[in-house]
């Protein structure tokens, strides 16, 4: 999300409160998504701050706007269309992962709501679910995971934003796990931002650092490197593209 987009979310929510309108749900970025992979290497469960980043921001698309996010890593390809529908952002996450056992396909919806607390602080709720089918073993499509995340975004300077996520991942055949993280975003240039994040998903702890280039007002390109905190954990690069448009 751009800084101007966050300000539009803040202004919209602030105006709604001043007009005594009830708060309503709004979108999540990716925001969460369900099972994805750490740079296409390790299973995770959320997408954020726009693009493939794991820590989500507390902002949604503008009214009448849609977007398509896509990214890929060493073994994973993701496609995520989303649209603003009323006060919420509705999205669909589609992924295909290749590993030693064959191919795995995942699909699932997500919904996000965000609202302003102050002129610089916003929060919301993100919920998502994932169905999975693998060509190894059971080939039927089965619900495997769901997730609920509360994102918080603080714009503490014109060039700096901080994001915090607190939530839970619920797994079909395993105990639920913590879903949390923190990220710092710096707009080094009008068209270039740097993002660093530390997160926990799917029982794993990892960090990610990358950059976002705003090629046009409607197109962003993301490149990042992620690494598991374990010495022998997975690591890798992810390249993503986001295109926003009016429907």
């Amino acid at each position: 999300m751009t800084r101007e987009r966050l300000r539009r979310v803040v202004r919209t929510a602030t105006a709604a409160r001043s007009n005594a309108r009830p708060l309503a749900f709004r979108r999540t970025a990716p925001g969460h998504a369900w099972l994805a992979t750490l740079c296409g290497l390790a299973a995770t469960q959320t997408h954020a701050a726009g693009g493939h980043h794991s820590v989500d921001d507390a902002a949604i698309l503008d009214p009448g706007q849609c977007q398509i996010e896509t990214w890929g890593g060493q073994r994973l390809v993701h496609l995520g269309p989303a649209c603003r529908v009323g006060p919420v952002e509705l999205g669909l996450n589609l992924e295909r992962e290749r590993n030693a056992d064959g191919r795995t396909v995942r699909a699932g919806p997500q919904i996000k709501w965000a609202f302003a607390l102050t002129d610089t602080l916003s929060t919301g709720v993100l919920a998502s679910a994932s169905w999975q089918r693998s060509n190894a073993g059971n080939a039927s499509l089965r619900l495997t995971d769901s997730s609920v995340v509360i994102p918080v975004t603080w714009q503490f300077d014109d060039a700096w934003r901080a994001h915090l996520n607190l939530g839970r991942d619920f797994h079909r055949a395993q105990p639920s796990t913590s879903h949390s993280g923190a990220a710092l975003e710096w707009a080094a240039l009008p068209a270039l931002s740097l993002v660093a994040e530390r997160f926990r998903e799917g029982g794993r702890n990892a960090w990610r650092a990358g950059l976002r280039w705003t090629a046009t007002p409607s197109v962003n390109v993301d490149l990042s490197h992620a690494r598991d905190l374990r010495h022998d954990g997975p690591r890798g690069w992810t390249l993503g593209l986001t295109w926003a448009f009016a429907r």
Side-chain angles (χ1 to χ4, degrees), residues 48-191:
H52 61 262
H53 294 276
S54 296
V55 179
D56 208 347
D57 56 3
I60 63 172
L61 292 168
D62 295 329
Q65 191 176 37
C66 294
Q67 71 176 17
I68 296 177
E69 293 181 336
T70 182
W71 62 81
Q74 182 176 345
R75 299 187 179 97
L76 177 78
V77 176
H78 171 94
L79 179 65
C83 283
R84 173 78 175 263
V85 180
V88 300
E89 184 178 292
L90 300 179
L92 179 64
N93 294 295
L94 306 169
E95 290 184 347
R96 188 168 114 171
E97 184 179 7
R98 176 174 50 84
N99 51 46
D101 296 326
R103 289 192 303 270
T104 298
V105 175
R106 304 184 186 98
Q110 67 177 28
I111 181 171
K112 188 179 183 180
W113 171 45
F115 63 93
L117 298 172
T118 71
D119 288 343
T120 60
L121 189 67
S122 60
T123 187
V125 178
L126 167 64
S128 63
S130 176
W131 280 258
Q132 176 176 310
R133 183 178 66 186
S134 174
N135 62 0
N138 192 341
S140 62
L141 193 65
R142 302 180 60 186
L143 176 66
T144 55
D145 299 88
S146 61
S147 179
V148 176
V149 177
I150 297 175
V152 177
T153 293
W154 178 30
Q155 180 99 38
F156 59 91
D157 183 83
D158 284 345
W160 291 89
R161 291 199 303 162
H163 311 289
L164 177 67
N165 285 185
L166 293 173
R168 201 80 182 165
D169 293 330
F170 303 94
H171 311 289
R172 179 184 176 90
Q174 299 177 359
S176 63
T177 55
S178 171
H179 188 124
S180 59
L184 191 62
E185 192 173 348
W186 174 43
L189 297 170

Side-chain angles (χ1 to χ4, degrees), residues 159-224:
W160 291 89
R161 291 199 303 162
H163 311 289
L164 177 67
N165 285 185
L166 293 173
R168 201 80 182 165
D169 293 330
F170 303 94
H171 311 289
R172 179 184 176 90
Q174 299 177 359
S176 63
T177 55
S178 171
H179 188 124
S180 59
L184 191 62
E185 192 173 348
W186 174 43
L189 297 170
L192 183 66
S193 297
L194 305 179
V195 182
E197 58 184 5
R198 164 79 160 78
F199 57 94
R200 177 175 176 81
E201 294 177 6
R204 308 185 75 102
N205 294 291
W207 62 261
R208 185 192 305 271
L211 56 84
R212 175 174 299 123
W213 172 44
T214 303
T216 73
S218 60
V219 176
N220 288 338
V221 179
D222 291 87
L223 177 65
S224 74

